[in-house]
Amino acid sequence: MRRTISITVLSALAGLAQAQDTNNFDCSNFLQFGADINQTRTAFAQSPETMAWNWFVCLNQPSTAQSSNLVWEMMKPSDQVYLPNGAPPGAYDSSAPLPAAVVTQAKAQGMDLSRSFHNINATQQVDGLILQMGGAVPDAQQGHPVRFQLLMGKDTFDYIVQKQVYNVNGQAALANDLNFPPTAWELKAAWLWIGTDTTYRQTLVNDGYYIAQAYYQQDDGTYKVGYVALSGLHVVNKLNADWVWTTFENINNSKYTVTNAAPPAPMTNTTGPTPAAKPVNASFQANNRNLSKYELIGVEFQPITQVLANSQLESAFQNTSSCLACHGTAAYSNDKGYFNFALNHGGGIVYPTTPLPPSAFDGYKKLDFVWSLKRAQWQR
């Protein structure tokens, strides 16, 4: 009897075949896409999901043989670029000193001052809502927010400094649209706060979370210092003109984060992993033990109608979330300010899932998909 195989199965087998070789990617100079960017583009076209995972693996390697910091942890945090007074930022490789109160608490807790301390002051998502921790988190963490952090690569930083758009003054003075170099990178991380709870910390270690050191300033000016767990990570670069948008999250996030429904329900991802991502996830998870509880949700790189979200970073509007389409609206007007990508629809608002036409940006200077520039302040 003749045996038939569905198109879905054939697609999965093709994806698995492309993902099988997961250990031969050269991480040296990967942020510059190796010696030939066109070779990277060709490999990406063959399997975007495989390349996304290769980048994720490289980013999560130690920054040096002697360092306990990961490659991506050494990128420049946006709070050290868009300064409160709009002043020029310090050099890319120079880290801002930790507040004295943070150092004091870190020493008292026996933390490693040679490791990165992530400043995770941000709590609001793009739509202004806050994702809460819940479910299996300790009582002391119930209802507390998931926290966020944005970082950029050196070529992203250098271009921002060159164009002097680290403050609104520079953006207002733009004569033309921005055009970042192909080797520009940005990352956005979501963190579960642990604090000093060693039992909870070990639970998250057992569930495959990457644990880091962090702090944030409270409303009264004092600082909280402790440990955090990485629940989600956007990885974005400009390999293509419309950029490449990839997003990862921990498979156990539904245990620790909840929806804003009443009563709250476990937070899940409604947009993926995509069918193309699933076989690649299985292959890389099997070959990278330290990352085995993280999964690629999907990849965006074409200006088409597409929905993709990270449950930790775009939880409340997953079904109308498109990385490429939303970031494609990054623009500034001296008369209107920053472009508003929240679109009126049926008495409510939605977010674009298809790139808007050029006519929507008459009178604006395009910021080349980089919405982090909205964090810039006026130089006074």
Side-chain angles (χ1 to χ4, degrees):
M1 183 168 65
R2 194 175 205 175
R3 193 173 174 191
T4 61
I5 302 177
S6 72
I7 292 176
T8 300
V9 172
L10 286 172
S11 298
L13 290 173
L16 183 58
Q18 292 169 330
Q20 280 178 342
D21 190 4
T22 59
N23 294 313
N24 293 329
F25 186 79
D26 185 3
C27 285
S28 61
N29 206 31
F30 79 98
L31 292 172
Q32 299 293 315
F33 303 118
D36 186 345
I37 191 172
N38 288 323
Q39 288 184 0
T40 302
R41 288 181 174 131
T42 298
F44 176 83
Q46 292 173 349
S47 176
E49 292 75 22
T50 299
M51 186 59 70
W53 254 107
N54 281 326
W55 291 331
F56 189 61
V57 171
C58 293
L59 287 164
N60 282 282
Q61 291 187 345
S63 58
T64 67
Q66 295 76 33
S67 176
S68 54
N69 294 315
L70 303 181
V71 170
W72 70 267
E73 291 183 291
M74 303 307 292
M75 289 185 170
K76 194 74 166 178
S78 65
D79 62 280
Q80 296 183 27
V81 179
Y82 308 116
L83 302 181
N85 57 2
Y92 180 81
D93 293 325
S94 66
S95 297
L98 291 173
V102 172
V103 174
T104 298
Q105 289 190 54
K107 287 180 177 178
Q109 295 178 33
M111 301 175 84
D112 185 353
L113 291 176
S114 69
R115 280 193 67 189
S116 295
F117 278 78
H118 297 271
N119 182 3
I120 53 173
N121 275 339
T123 57
Q124 289 186 333
Q125 298 177 99
V126 174
D127 61 0
L129 296 178
I130 293 176
L131 174 62
Q132 294 183 346
M133 295 185 290
V137 304
D139 290 344
Q141 302 297 348
Q142 294 285 337
H144 285 226
V146 173
R147 293 183 168 271
F148 310 115
Q149 178 190 30
L150 187 67
L151 307 101
M152 63 183 69
K154 186 176 188 303
D155 289 355
T156 310
F157 173 84
D158 286 346
Y159 185 78
I160 288 172
V161 172
Q162 173 199 339
K163 294 295 183 179
Q164 298 182 8
V165 290
Y166 46 78
N167 56 37
V168 184
N169 308 63
Q171 295 176 32
L174 283 173
N176 301 294
D177 295 343
L178 293 180
N179 183 21
F180 281 79
T183 49
W185 290 72
E186 275 201 318
L187 278 73
K188 189 174 184 181
W191 298 99
L192 306 179
W193 181 255
I194 300 171
T196 59
D197 188 331
T198 56
T199 301
Y200 178 38
R201 177 181 171 187
Q202 187 59 52
T203 297
L204 292 172
V205 169
N206 295 342
D207 273 343
Y209 285 87
Y210 174 67
I211 308 299
Q213 301 176 149
Y215 70 95
Y216 64 91
Q217 190 171 28
Q218 302 181 98
D219 292 340
D220 63 1
T222 61
Y223 290 92
K224 294 279 286 185
V225 180
Y227 293 93
V228 288
L230 182 70
S231 62
L233 189 69
H234 281 328
V235 178
V236 182
N237 62 52
K238 204 187 172 184
L239 181 68
N240 291 344
D242 292 312
W243 296 64
V244 173
W245 312 85
T246 80
T247 192
F248 292 80
E249 59 181 272
N250 190 287
I251 64 175
N252 290 303
N253 284 337
S254 61
K255 293 183 182 179
Y256 305 106
T257 56
V258 295
T259 67
N260 59 2
M267 176 58 67
T268 59
N269 194 300
T270 62
T271 68
T274 62
K278 288 179 180 178
V280 185
N281 282 338
S283 182
F284 275 87
Q285 288 164 342
N287 285 279
N288 295 274
R289 184 178 178 183
N290 63 317
L291 299 174
S292 64
K293 300 303 181 184
Y294 288 94
E295 62 184 1
L296 171 69
I297 301 303
V299 182
E300 277 192 24
F301 60 97
Q302 297 173 308
I304 59 176
T305 300
Q306 186 176 355
V307 172
L308 182 67
N310 190 299
S311 75
Q312 305 296 286
L313 295 162
E314 297 106 359
S315 59
F317 63 110
Q318 292 185 54
N319 292 335
T320 58
S321 177
S322 167
C323 311
L324 191 156
C326 284
H327 278 263
T329 66
Y332 180 79
S333 163
N334 289 347
D335 297 325
K336 303 175 185 177
Y338 293 103
F339 189 88
N340 184 3
F341 58 85
L343 308 176
N344 293 321
H345 180 75
I349 59 171
V350 296
Y351 301 92
T353 56
T354 304
L356 301 182
S359 58
F361 303 100
D362 289 345
Y364 286 87
K365 294 294 185 297
K366 297 297 292 293
L367 303 179
D368 196 14
F369 295 86
V370 180
W371 260 129
S372 68
L373 288 160
K374 193 175 180 180
R375 301 187 177 202
Q377 305 294 313
W378 286 100
Q379 186 174 29
R380 305 296 183 183

